Amino acid sequence: MSFGDPNNPYGQQPQAPQGPYGQQPQAPQGPYGQQPPVPPQQGQPGYGYPQQAPPQQPYGYPQQQAVPPQQGYGYPQQGAAPYGQPMPGMPTGYASWGARLGAFLLDGLIIAAVPIILYIIAGVMTASSISSASPDYSSCPSGDYTCIQNAANDSASSSTPAGAIIMIALAWLIMVGGTFFLIAKEGSSGQTPGKKALGVKVIKETTGQPLGFGMTFVRYLCRYLNGLLCGIGWLWPLWDDKSQTFADKLAGTVVVSIK
C-alpha cells in the first residue's frame, strides 16, 4: 500500500526551483552568452531557426511565373506618349505640296509610259489605213453634204485595222492594272514608287499605319472631289495646317515626310 510521495507528505504541488534570494530563474542562454533562438510566430521562422524553402510545384504541373512589379499610382506608364504628342516612331513632318506633286507625276509616268506608246502606235496604224482608203461618193446626190460625210465616216471606220484596236485595248488594260498596282502598294506600305522616290508616305492620321487596300481604294475614288471647283482640292494643301487635300480629309489620312 502506497502513501504517496515521502518527500511531499501533504499532497502539495511541486514548485519550480527559485533562484537565490527568491529571484525567478532565468532562461537558459546559448553558448558564449548568445541569446537562444526566438520561437517562431504566426508560421514565420524566428531568428536563428533554419529558413524553410518555398514549396515547389509537383513534377508535371505548370510553373508559376513571377509577376512583374507594377508601377505606383501617379508614375508615367512606359510606352505612352505625353498628351498632344505623336506616338513614338510616328513621323512628325507633313510632306510639302511640291513633294506630293512630284510623286503624283512620277507615278503617272510609270503607269502611263507603256500605254502612251501603244496609243501612238495605234494612231499611226489608223492614219496610214485611212489615207489609203477612198470614200465611195457615187451613191450621194450632188450637194448632199450629209451623205458625203456619212460616206467618209464609213470609209474611216471600215479601214481601222484590227491591230490598232488591239493596241488601244491593251493600253487601257495596262492603265487599269497599273492603277490597282499603285493602290496595292500604297495600301500595304503607304508608299508607291513615286512616293518612295520622293520620301513621302500616306498613313492613317489616328494610328500612323498604312490604310490597307480597301481604304486606299476609297481614297483614290475621293480624288475626283479634288477636281471640283477648278481643282481647288488639289491646291488645298498649300494653306492647310496638315497639308491635306479633300480626299485626305474624307479618308482621315495625312501625307508625311520620312526623309
Side-chain angles (χ1 to χ4, degrees):
M1 182 175 180
S2 174
F3 294 94
D5 189 359
N7 296 325
N8 188 13
Y10 299 99
Q12 298 177 358
Q13 296 294 330
Q15 298 180 358
Q18 297 183 355
Y21 305 104
Q23 297 178 358
Q24 295 295 330
Q26 298 180 356
Q29 296 184 355
Y32 304 104
Q34 296 180 359
Q35 295 294 331
V38 180
Q41 297 179 0
Q42 298 180 356
Q44 298 292 334
Y47 176 76
Y49 281 80
Q51 301 292 327
Q52 297 181 359
Q56 300 292 332
Q57 293 288 343
Y59 179 76
Y61 282 79
Q63 299 295 327
Q64 297 182 357
Q65 300 294 333
V67 180
Q70 301 293 332
Q71 293 182 344
Y73 177 78
Y75 284 85
Q77 299 295 327
Q78 295 182 358
Y83 178 77
Q85 297 184 9
M87 293 294 293
M90 288 182 59
T92 56
Y94 298 114
S96 64
W97 185 81
R100 296 186 60 168
L101 177 61
F104 177 79
L105 295 177
L106 186 57
D107 288 333
L109 180 62
I110 291 174
I111 66 172
V114 175
I116 288 175
I117 296 175
L118 294 178
Y119 281 130
I120 293 175
I121 295 175
V124 172
M125 294 173 63
T126 303
S128 61
S129 178
I130 292 176
S131 62
S132 60
S134 57
D136 184 10
Y137 302 122
S138 60
S139 60
C140 296
S142 178
D144 191 352
Y145 295 104
T146 303
C147 181
I148 295 174
Q149 183 66 34
N150 292 334
N153 293 335
D154 292 340
S155 177
S157 60
S158 61
S159 62
T160 302
I165 298 176
I166 294 175
M167 290 291 180
I168 294 173
L170 184 59
W172 183 83
L173 290 176
I174 292 176
M175 286 285 293
V176 174
T179 301
F180 278 97
F181 167 75
L182 295 180
I183 293 175
K185 291 291 290 183
E186 184 174 312
S188 60
S189 63
Q191 290 183 299
T192 58
K195 290 181 174 63
K196 189 173 183 179
L198 273 296
V200 298
K201 184 177 183 180
V202 179
I203 58 175
K204 191 73 175 176
E205 184 179 7
T206 55
T207 63
Q209 300 298 322
L211 302 180
F213 182 86
M215 284 303 300
T216 303
F217 181 76
V218 173
R219 180 175 179 270
Y220 269 63
L221 293 179
C222 293
R223 283 183 171 183
Y224 291 100
L225 299 177
N226 294 334
L228 299 179
L229 300 177
C230 301
I232 192 173
W234 295 108
L235 302 176
W236 202 263
L238 289 173
W239 53 79
D240 188 76
D241 293 338
K242 299 179 181 179
S243 298
Q244 290 177 305
T245 62
F246 292 165
D248 290 325
K249 292 184 179 298
L250 291 175
T253 59
V254 290
V255 182
V256 295
S257 177
I258 59 174
K259 285 186 176 182

